[in-house]
Structure formats: structure tokens, C-alpha cells
Amino acid sequence: MIDSLFSWIDDRVALSRSGRHLLDKIFPDHWSFMIGEIALYSFIVLMLTGVFLTLYFVPSSTPVIYHGVYAPLRGQTVSAAFDSTVNLSFQVRGGLLMRQMHHWAANIFVGAIVVHMLRVFFTGAFRRPREANWMLGTTLLILAIFNGFLGYSLPDDLISGTGIRIAFSIMESVPFVGTYLAYFLFGGSFPGTAIIPRFFILHVLVLPLLIIGLLAGHLGMLVKHKHAQFPGKGARDDNVVGSPLWPTYAAKAGGFFFLTTGVTALLGAIVQINPIWQYGQYYAYKVSYAVQPDWYMGWLDGALRVMPSWELNLPGHMIPTVFFPAVLLPGLTFNLIYAWPFIEAKLTGDTAEHHLLERPRDKPLRTAIGAAVFAFYFVLFGASATDVLANYLSLSLNVVLWAFRVLCIVVPIVVFPVTYKICLELRATPGAGQRKRHNLVVRTADGGYTTIAAEEYPGYVKAELEPVALDEVDLVSAMAAEGDQGTEGVYQIPRDYR
Amino acid sequence: MPEAPGTDGAGTDGAGTEGAGTEGAGRSGHAGASVSTGAPQFQVAAKNPRRVEGAVAVAFLASLLAFAAFGAAFWVAASSWVLGVTLGVALSAFGFGLVAWGKYLMPQGPFEEPRPQMATTPAEKQEFVADFATRGKIAVERRGVLVKLMGAAGAVLGVVLAFPLIRSLGPRPNQEQSLYHTKWRKGAKLTSIEGRAVRVDDIEVGGIITVFPPDDLGGAFSQTVLIRVQQTGDIVTEPGRETWGPHGYLAYSKVCTHAGCPVGLYEELTQQLLCPCHQSLFDIGTGAMPVFGPAPRPLPQLPLYVDSKGYLRAQADYDEPIGPGFWYRGGSNGGPQ
Ligand code: HEM
Ligand code: FES
């Protein structure tokens, strides 16, 4: 049955001819390559849980009276969007779980992209021929952040509504076109009634389609280039060393998808996220305490806080203060990220094709620059909690704010030379970062003790195996022969240290 | 009884033709070319495959049970955390089993495949360019006028498409007056969100309420904080505002001049208003000057008077655009250009 179905299809698309070599596609085994996969899998989780949510969410700001099961809200006038989100949480079977999983997956998604990006940066995976894929990835990051913000805004609760208000002000602040942008997006002045349905269609259709399209391009280019790999035994610029797609990688990656999803489900089950019924409906005049956006907006929120209150008055015009932290800073940030592969090629004069990755310590300057820049954004992220910190540490807001203003300049300046120095030190220390050999304590004949270093870490063979070209042998007969080997597979490759 | 590692494989399934005790011989028997199927690269990574098989089996069994539990929990509409924990455990166990299978029970490798370089040779480039560009070039050069006309038609389409699309999105901001004016008018009664007009003796000293013009209750731009600072007497926050604060009342726009959040936290002791978003502080005694945080300008003050029946009313609209700045806000006191 399956045979004849396959045969029917194959006779029409020649799958067995064009797809055969795909089975042999080699994926390098290195833990850091799983980070991009987490991003991919959490995007799938987002789509699955998101479709569930669209079945119940009502994207409308029409006022309705809440009649649901959550007593404290009963009788209040809320928007249809808020009403349906509360009902989704309390009255739809599995609804709260889906909502929380969706929200957690969004946070994991953006987080995985950022960490993935850091690994690409610090290992030099963005160098030729992968510059375009680096830029594509950066665009994916921007889209992911935007879509996260849009989704966060949909329930129309007090905290997200405050975020939309700030977004309106930020758009207004753009020179020349700002007020037009804001009015066209909101269908008039803030808040209006258009924003929820418009955000909805952007969030569930337009941006996901863009992300899917760019992701296909991103992964397609990855297949074309084949993975970059760390140098190691037999890994060269003109080959790829690792596990074949079928069945080894398929099992590992497939399993990893379920692990990612499982962890997201556990988070969604146990760790509450965005309990909008506690915040209540958004009203423009209502104040919410401790307004905190999702983590990936934190650096912008922090930048808004530490920016001094400068405003540029021009004849008849104004550049408002929010323009600098909320428009100029992200603009510079992402353009710098886009341009980095070219900046570095210019600085080093290295425009050759590279398929071998670099260890961060071997490129001290790049590593130091990356660490310093990242530290800057990390401090901004911390600055989004000035009020919480002031409360917690019983300090005045003033002290905390000024501390962050100073820190966001000082920390990068300190991080740069320290990182640089650490790189040099690591390079000069043979075996740094490798698992230490254990010591053997030996009792000598006359009763004394001496320690000697063990030959190797138990369970690890010292020499790595040579890679084998798959087309020279028949993997099937090799796997079939596994039984013959009895329990001989005693080799454990220290893959992580390649 | 735990079986001794190294013998269980052959001992339990009986399928191994060479059986226990032939481990050394087993490999040397297959030895030959470096890529024979007996090479270590083709062996599984597990030291003890039986043990891993057992672990994978337990994982799949656990996931089977947890999936069933999830189904049951859904059936009886159990609480969210029961659903999530059963589902999460089921998926994680399933994933764990698959990963362990792939990592320990499949040929451990490493394997390799060749990688083509991306850079093409000049000859390849030339051939492509010759085929693609030259063909196109000839076709185009012959019909220059057609190309220009086609381009022009396309351009007009683009422009014409953009206009209705963009213009239908919303009103032009400089026609909408809400950027420059609020709904406060001369004589508008200060009205609470419930629609009750505020009288001069409604609020105690130190009290604060949010007020709107009667025709714009809840309005995002007209929202105003009304604070009673003292029992009697006019409060003068700045020269020129001698009559704006009758009977100890002050009214300021509630929209933060930083990024537009409602400035609603009032500290009576210091007479300061705090914006919860980025902690700007406004000193209400001195015309709501920002004394801390990122807000660049004072909150605009609404001039008040008390009518003969004791109702608080606005003398006029704010004398400047309220809220955060924008490009067309001319200078510090800008109105429409
Ligand atoms: C939607 C978000 C993204 C997803 C789902 C995603 C997924 C992946 C996956 C699964 C891989 C292969 C595994 C790996 O190398 O880690 C990959 C490779 C790559 N990604 Fe992404 N990625 C995303 C965003 C980004 C971003 C933000 C960047 C950097 C700006 C980026 C740059 C790259 C590059 C240069 C490669 C090739 C690296 C190599 O060949 O080793 N990606 N991506
Ligand atoms: S909006 Fe008030 S301080 Fe930023």
C-alpha cells in the first residue's frame, strides 16, 4: 500500500532520483548548532498554539459587558478583545495552557534567535559566503520582535495598552513622516478602534508569512552552503563532517523538537505569564504600576529611561526626546548588525570564502567588540528595571538612574579590554576549556602518597576518529551488521571538544 | 540480577552470531579497509546498547502513559496545570527517547561529504552573463520604446496603487486637530469619569481625581488631573497664571510629555506627580516642571475658574499641545503651522 503510493508519487516527481542525496546530507555535531533549531521549533509551536488562539480570540475593541466566570471583573465594560481573552483563559478547555504556551514560546523564540546570532557572530559564521544569510537572519530577528510586540498588544489589557500608547508616541517622534505614520497605522488619533483589528491581521497573517518566507530562504541558503563547522579531525574547508540526515540527524532533531515543545508546555503549565485578568481592561487614563514589557523590549524601555530629557527645538519643528532612544538607537543597532560582515572584511582585508568556524579566543578583537556591544545592551536591559531595583535595594530612584547612566558607558569600556585579555590568556593556555584530567593518588611502597595525572578522562578516547565518506560504504549493511558487533561500540567521541 | 556489561547483548537476544567473548575477534574479523562496515565509525555510540534501549523504551512508555493522561485530563476538563504537565511530560519523554536513540543507537560517525565552494570561476560567470544578459540586452535594445513605455505604465500603476492604499488608512494628522487641541473649551465643566461635575467643595486637600470635559469622558487626550493643594486662595504656579488655580485647585494634563503614559501617581507630601512608565517626576507647585526622569517639558496647565454655583470649569483649552513632542510641534509653544 505505502509502496505503491510512494511508487505512484515517485513516478510523477522523480523523488528517488533528485532526493536520494538528501538522505546523506551531513550535519555537524556541535551543541551550539542546536540554538538555531530551538528558534525554528519554537516558531512551529507559535504557529500551532497561535492557530488555536485565533479560533476564540475576537479582534475588536467594541465595548461589551463582561459576564464570564472571573468574578472580580463581572459587570465591567471591557473590549471584545479583552473579554474573549479572559474567556479563552477561563472557559475554553485548554485555553489558558495554549495562551501561556504561546507567550512562552514567543519569549523563547526571540531568545533563541539572539543566542543563535551570538554564536554565529562569535564563531565568525557570518563571513563569506554567509553574509547574506546573516542579513536575512537579522531581518528575522526584527520581524520576530515586531510580531512579539503586536501579539502582546492584542488582549487590550492595561499593561499592553500602555505599551501601545508609548509606541504611538515613538512613531509620532519620527521627523517629517512620524505623525503620518502614527495616524495611518492607528486610523486616526490614539487610541481609536482600528488598532486591535489591524494589529491582529499583521500578527496572525502578514508577519508570520514574511517570517516563513524569509525562514525558507534562510534555511535554503544553509542547505546550499552546507553548515560551517569547527575545525577538528578531518574537518576541512571543502567537506562537512558529522551525522547523516537519515536516520541519525532526523532522530536527534525530531526528538529535539518534541523536547522544545515539551519544555514549553511545562512552562505554560507551571509558570504563569501575562495574567491579564489581574491587570484589567486598558483605559487611556488608568495607571498601571511596574509596567514591564516582554524581555526583548527591555533594552528599548531601559534606553527610554536612561536617556536625558533632551529635546531638539528647530524653527517650527521639534525632534522629541523619545526619538533618540527609541528610533535612532534601534536604527543604528540593526544597521550596524547588518553591516558587520562587511565592516569586518574591510578591517581585516579578508574577503576569502570560509567554511571553518573560529573559536572566539582566536579572534580577540572581534570577540572583545562583540562582548562590549552586547554588554551595552545588557546594561540597557537592566535599566528597564530602575524602579524595581530602587524599591528592592531601598535606594532612591535618582541614584539607580544615574548608576545606570554611568554603567552603560563604563561597562562596555571595561568589558572590552577584559575580554581581549581573557582571549589572549586562553590562547596562551594549552588545553584551556578542555575537561581536566583527574589525578591519581598513588600510595607508594614506603607508605607515602604521590599524585600523578591520569592519562585521559575515563570514557573518552583521546584520538578522534577519522571521518568516513558515506558514499564509499553502504550504511545499510553497516547498520544491519550492528548485531555482529555485540557490545563493542565503546567509542565515545568527545564531540563537544572538537 | 544485573547482567555483567559486555555480555548481555549476545546473551539475551541470541541473535549475535559471534556471541559473548568474541569482542576482540569480532572487530578484527571485519578489519580491512579503513572504511569497512566493521570500522568503529559504524558502531553505535553507546557503550552498552542494551541499557540505552532500555532507557529509550522507558521514555516512550512514559510518554505513552502521559499522552493518555493528557487525553483523560482534557476529557474531564482538568485544570490548566494538569493539562500542561501531562502534555509537557509526554512530549519531553517522547523527545528524550528519540534523541537518545539517534545519539546512542545509530552509527556514531563521523561521516563526511564534500562541500563545493561558492565562488564561481570567471568562465562560469561569463557563460551565464553571455546567455542571460546578452539575450536580454539584444531583445531590449531592439525595442527601446516599448521598454520605456512598459516601465512608465508600471511606474504609474505603482504610484496610483500606493495612494489610495495609504490614504485610506487614516486621516492626515495636520487636519485632525487632536494633535494641537483637546476637547477642553471655555466653560467646560470638570467632569469625573462617572459623569459627575466637580464642585469646589468635592475634594479634600491632598485629594486628586481625573477629570474630562463632559463631551469627552475617558478621552485619551483631554484627560486631566485635578489636585487640591490647599483649602483656599488662588495658586500661582507661574507669572501669567495668576487666576488659573482658584480655591487651591490645580489642573494639569494627565498625558506625560515623555512618551504619553498617564501621570497618575500623586505624592502629597512632596506635591509631585509620578509617571509610572519611566518615572518622570513633575513638581505641581511650580507649573509641573519635570524634576526627575526623561520627561522634557512641564505638563501643560489647564486654567480653571469656579462658577457662581460652585462648579469648577475650564477658562479655555490648554495653551499648547499636550503630551509628547512630534515633528510638527513648532518650538516650545507650538500650534499648527
Ligand atoms: C527566525 C529566526 C531564526 C531561525 C528559526 C533560524 C534557524 C537556523 C537554523 C536551524 C540554522 C542551522 C543551525 C545553526 O547553525 O544553528 C541556522 C543557521 C544560520 N543562521 Fe539562523 N535562524 C534564525 C535567525 C537568525 C539570525 C537572527 C541570524 C543572525 C543575524 C542568523 C544567522 C544564521 C547564519 C549565518 C547561519 C548559518 C550558520 C552555519 O552555516 O553554521 N539566523 N539558522
Ligand atoms: S511616559 Fe512618562 S516618563 Fe516616560
Side-chain angles (χ1 to χ4, degrees):
Chain A
M1 171 59 194
I2 292 192
D3 272 359
S4 59
L5 181 64
F6 172 75
S7 173
W8 190 91
I9 297 173
D10 198 40
D11 286 340
R12 280 149 189 86
V13 293
L15 195 65
S16 48
R17 193 179 305 145
S18 57
R20 171 63 190 80
H21 69 279
L22 252 182
L23 302 184
D24 282 350
K25 180 172 171 50
I26 298 293
F27 290 80
D29 304 307
H30 192 274
W31 61 267
S32 71
F33 287 54
M34 297 192 315
I35 303 163
E37 286 180 32
I38 299 182
L40 182 63
Y41 301 152
S42 38
F43 183 59
I44 296 174
V45 176
L46 282 169
M47 289 194 288
L48 295 176
T49 52
V51 168
F52 182 96
L53 299 182
T54 59
L55 302 179
Y56 303 97
F57 178 72
V58 181
S60 156
S61 40
T62 310
V64 296
I65 311 250
Y66 179 75
H67 290 302
V69 298
Y70 186 66
L73 284 177
R74 240 177 255 156
Q76 287 189 25
T77 306
V78 297
S79 68
F82 184 83
D83 180 62
S84 60
T85 314
V86 177
N87 287 343
L88 188 48
S89 308
F90 291 124
Q91 272 146 286
V92 174
R93 208 175 278 198
L96 179 60
L97 177 66
M98 289 296 141
R99 257 197 72 225
Q100 303 213 122
M101 275 180 76
H102 192 72
H103 205 128
W104 272 114
N107 280 319
I108 296 172
F109 180 48
V110 186
I113 297 176
V114 171
V115 179
H116 170 55
M117 190 168 183
L118 291 176
R119 103 99 174 115
V120 168
F121 177 86
F122 285 113
T123 59
F126 56 81
R127 293 170 302 161
R128 184 181 163 191
R130 295 183 175 75
E131 305 97 324
N133 224 11
W134 166 264
M135 297 172 77
L136 235 170
T138 310
T139 313
L140 281 168
L141 173 62
I142 298 171
L143 290 177
I145 293 178
F146 264 110
N147 214 34
F149 177 77
L150 292 176
Y152 187 81
S153 302
L154 288 179
D156 202 21
D157 60 283
L158 188 50
I159 289 192
S160 73
T162 310
I164 303 182
R165 179 61 181 99
I166 297 176
F168 186 85
S169 310
I170 291 172
M171 292 179 74
E172 266 190 331
S173 79
V174 178
F176 301 105
V177 295
T179 43
Y180 289 85
L181 282 180
Y183 272 61
F184 289 169
L185 179 67
F186 282 70
S189 186
F190 179 87
T193 52
I195 200 62
I196 299 285
R198 286 187 182 183
F199 273 20
F200 179 70
I201 206 63
L202 288 172
H203 179 74
V204 304
L205 185 75
V206 180
L207 270 93
L209 274 187
L210 277 173
I211 292 180
I212 291 171
L214 293 184
L215 202 53
H218 191 69
L219 299 180
M221 235 188 288
L222 175 78
V223 171
K224 179 103 190 160
H225 291 149
K226 301 181 189 295
H227 286 68
Q229 59 190 349
F230 282 100
K233 188 146 201 177
R236 298 182 311 271
D237 233 0
D238 61 354
N239 73 351
V240 195
V241 173
S243 315
L245 171 63
W246 187 253
T248 316
Y249 179 77
K252 285 200 269 188
F256 199 52
F257 165 74
F258 286 102
L259 271 176
T260 311
T261 315
V263 169
T264 312
L266 287 175
L267 281 170
I270 300 168
V271 191
Q272 185 181 63
I273 188 162
N274 208 20
I276 52 140
W277 53 91
Q278 289 174 13
Y279 309 151
Q281 164 70 33
Y282 174 68
Y283 289 107
Y285 57 89
K286 277 208 177 161
V287 185
S288 44
Y289 290 86
V291 199
Q292 229 94 43
D294 266 354
W295 75 267
Y296 46 85
M297 301 299 266
W299 60 292
L300 284 175
D301 192 44
L304 278 169
R305 290 177 190 215
V306 296
M307 174 73 197
S309 56
W310 300 329
E311 205 163 58
L312 213 61
N313 284 304
L314 308 166
H317 294 293
M318 163 186 278
I319 298 188
T321 178
V322 289
F323 174 76
F324 304 102
V327 180
L328 196 63
L329 175 75
L332 287 176
T333 306
F334 287 111
N335 277 301
L336 181 72
I337 297 175
Y338 276 122
W340 178 259
F342 309 101
I343 297 175
E344 190 184 290
K346 193 103 196 153
L347 291 180
T348 58
D350 178 1
T351 53
E353 200 167 321
H354 293 284
H355 298 286
L356 286 182
L357 299 172
E358 294 165 316
R359 299 193 76 174
R361 71 183 64 161
D362 293 330
K363 290 285 157 188
L365 192 59
R366 174 204 293 148
T367 306
I369 292 175
V373 170
F374 185 72
F376 172 71
Y377 291 100
F378 195 76
V379 175
L380 285 186
F381 174 75
S384 69
T386 41
D387 51 338
V388 181
L389 282 176
N391 244 331
Y392 185 72
L393 302 172
S394 311
L395 289 171
S396 86
L397 259 175
N398 201 11
V399 172
V400 178
L401 182 74
W402 272 102
F404 273 105
R405 283 182 178 162
V406 173
L407 283 177
C408 68
I409 295 169
V410 169
V411 169
I413 294 179
V414 173
V415 165
F416 181 84
V418 169
T419 313
Y420 194 86
K421 192 89 181 108
I422 290 177
C423 288
L424 295 187
E425 291 287 325
L426 278 177
R427 258 204 306 188
T429 318
Q434 254 146 44
R435 211 152 165 179
K436 281 216 182 66
R437 289 186 193 173
H438 63 303
N439 288 325
L440 291 179
V441 182
V442 180
R443 188 170 171 197
T444 54
D446 53 7
Y449 291 92
T450 55
T451 42
I452 51 171
E455 268 304 297
E456 66 199 29
Y457 196 81
Y460 285 83
V461 282
K462 234 172 144 190
E464 290 177 22
L465 296 171
E466 282 288 351
V468 177
L470 262 184
D471 48 5
E472 285 177 39
V473 291
D474 184 1
L475 191 58
V476 174
S477 66
M479 287 175 73
E482 186 203 312
D484 301 347
Q485 305 304 318
T487 54
E488 264 205 319
V490 291
Y491 294 90
Q492 182 141 15
I493 311 294
R495 289 154 198 252
D496 295 358
Y497 301 112
R498 182 167 293 149
Chain B
M1 184 197 93
E3 290 172 287
T7 60
D8 54 356
T12 48
D13 66 10
T17 49
E18 287 160 350
T22 58
E23 300 162 72
R27 186 150 46 133
S28 55
H30 286 275
S34 65
V35 290
S36 93
T37 51
Q41 284 88 338
F42 289 98
Q43 294 170 22
V44 298
K47 270 190 212 169
N48 186 342
R50 284 274 166 270
R51 277 253 283 283
V52 178
E53 271 171 30
V56 174
V58 168
F60 283 154
L61 200 66
S63 88
L64 186 155
L65 294 176
F67 274 130
F70 172 70
F74 195 83
W75 185 260
V76 303
S79 67
S80 175
W81 75 265
V82 178
L83 293 176
V85 168
T86 48
L87 182 65
V89 167
L91 291 168
S92 305
F94 190 80
F96 175 82
L98 259 182
V99 170
W101 190 347
K103 197 168 160 67
Y104 295 110
L105 295 179
M106 290 185 187
Q108 60 176 338
F111 301 103
E112 67 172 330
E113 67 173 345
R115 176 208 305 275
Q117 299 292 294
M118 285 300 124
T120 51
T121 65
E124 281 173 308
K125 284 198 182 75
Q126 221 164 16
E127 198 184 328
F128 182 79
V129 169
D131 266 18
F132 179 82
T134 325
R135 283 185 210 177
K137 207 168 145 204
I138 293 170
V140 165
E141 272 170 358
R142 291 257 169 85
R143 312 271 187 272
V145 182
L146 294 188
V147 172
K148 280 183 193 132
L149 276 176
M150 188 175 85
V156 172
L157 175 70
V159 172
V160 167
L161 271 188
F163 267 104
L165 189 75
I166 294 179
R167 277 306 294 121
S168 65
L169 284 174
R172 286 226 305 275
N174 48 2
Q175 288 178 344
E176 275 256 325
Q177 290 300 299
S178 66
L179 277 179
Y180 306 101
H181 302 293
T182 70
K183 294 263 168 58
W184 288 107
R185 298 280 170 275
K186 178 171 169 34
K189 277 184 184 165
L190 273 59
T191 314
S192 74
I193 184 68
E194 296 87 13
R196 202 167 36 77
V198 180
R199 299 171 58 110
V200 74
D201 44 7
D202 278 354
I203 300 179
E204 317 243 297
V205 171
I208 172 173
I209 95 165
T210 304
V211 291
F212 306 88
D215 57 347
D216 191 26
L217 296 183
F221 283 74
S222 3
Q223 54 174 310
T224 296
V225 284
L226 178 67
I227 303 169
R228 187 158 207 186
V229 181
Q230 61 195 37
Q231 193 61 40
T232 52
D234 296 349
I235 313 181
V236 187
T237 54
E238 261 177 38
R241 299 185 178 178
E242 280 74 12
T243 65
W244 289 20
H247 293 263
Y249 278 101
L250 284 176
Y252 289 107
S253 162
K254 198 177 175 178
V255 185
C256 186
T257 55
H258 178 230
C261 289
V263 185
L265 308 180
Y266 179 56
E267 165 98 54
E268 194 196 338
L269 207 65
T270 53
Q271 298 202 341
Q272 285 174 339
L273 275 170
L274 172 73
C275 178
C277 285
H278 315 103
Q279 287 79 44
S280 286
L281 272 180
F282 301 90
D283 181 33
I284 60 155
T286 58
M289 282 300 281
V291 289
F292 177 78
R297 273 169 286 113
L299 301 168
Q301 187 180 351
L302 189 71
L304 307 178
Y305 70 94
V306 178
D307 71 10
S308 53
K309 300 210 178 79
Y311 286 107
L312 282 161
R313 292 176 187 260
Q315 291 184 26
D317 190 8
Y318 291 104
D319 64 351
E320 58 173 320
I322 59 112
F326 49 94
W327 173 247
Y328 294 101
R329 191 188 198 279
S332 60
N333 224 1
Q337 294 307 302

